[in-house]
Amino acid sequence: MLKPILKITGIILLLIFASALAAPIFFKGRILSLVKSEINKNIVADVSFSDLDISLFRNFPDLSAGIEGLVITGRDEFKKDTLLSATKIDIALNLFSVISGKNKIDAIILDNPRIHAVINKEGKANWDITVPDTLSAPDVSDASFSMELSRYEIKNG
């Protein structure tokens, strides 16, 4: 009686492990296009990256998301300026906070970042790249936003 229970439990655990390993591979194209479209909606700059890597095992039990070959280049008067380039940016998110929406980031790791922040003669900064909000400002007196960052690391910066 014990052997069939152990076999079924082993098969279920193997299927869960295989699903966690395969899910980022199967949905990589969708996730990549979603990330690029969201970046383009929210940033007025040219953003490119070579690869997106999502893993449940790299920083287990945290969910890891890595962007490789990230380059952010300005537009208009900052067209020739590269605001940020990095070999890899890796973010480890607490899996339960991702599910519950509590914004807990366990780690941000920057590999070989190069940040070039400048202000031109008119006083405009090249890091001011967010899309301007065209709606009226919401009442933020009752709004609460919190984010928890446990660790950050900059390698060769």
Side-chain angles (χ1 to χ4, degrees):
M1 182 70 182
L2 188 61
K3 279 189 174 184
I5 293 173
L6 289 175
K7 282 183 181 180
I8 291 171
T9 305
I11 290 171
I12 290 172
L13 289 174
L14 183 65
L15 287 173
I16 291 171
F17 179 77
S19 297
L21 189 64
I25 295 169
F26 289 131
F27 298 111
K28 187 174 185 173
R30 282 190 197 168
I31 294 169
L32 191 62
S33 64
L34 179 66
V35 167
K36 285 185 178 182
S37 69
E38 287 300 314
I39 287 173
N40 288 330
K41 280 185 206 174
N42 295 304
I43 293 180
V44 183
D46 296 323
V47 179
S48 65
F49 52 91
S50 60
D51 196 17
L52 178 70
D53 182 30
I54 298 173
S55 173
L56 289 170
F57 301 107
R58 187 170 49 240
N59 291 310
F60 188 80
D62 295 335
L63 173 69
S64 295
I67 297 177
E68 296 180 11
L70 177 68
V71 177
I72 302 174
T73 307
R75 291 186 185 159
D76 300 329
E77 62 267 17
F78 298 110
K79 189 171 185 108
K80 295 181 182 179
D81 291 333
T82 300
L83 172 61
L84 171 71
S85 65
T87 304
K88 184 172 186 177
I89 295 178
D90 201 20
I91 300 172
L93 303 162
N94 181 290
L95 187 58
F96 297 110
S97 76
V98 170
I99 294 168
S100 67
K102 294 194 177 174
N103 303 322
K104 184 173 187 296
I105 299 174
D106 285 337
I108 296 177
I109 302 165
L110 298 154
D111 282 337
N112 299 314
R114 182 186 170 274
I115 301 169
H116 183 69
V118 296
I119 298 175
N120 66 9
K121 293 177 184 176
E122 291 81 31
K124 186 173 179 187
N126 71 337
W127 62 84
D128 187 16
I129 58 173
T130 57
V131 173
D133 190 10
T134 58
L135 301 174
S136 62
D139 181 22
V140 293
S141 59
D142 294 333
S144 64
F145 174 78
S146 66
M147 183 183 302
E148 186 177 333
L149 175 63
S150 299
R151 177 177 67 96
Y152 66 92
E153 187 175 338
I154 299 173
K155 298 177 183 177
N156 299 323

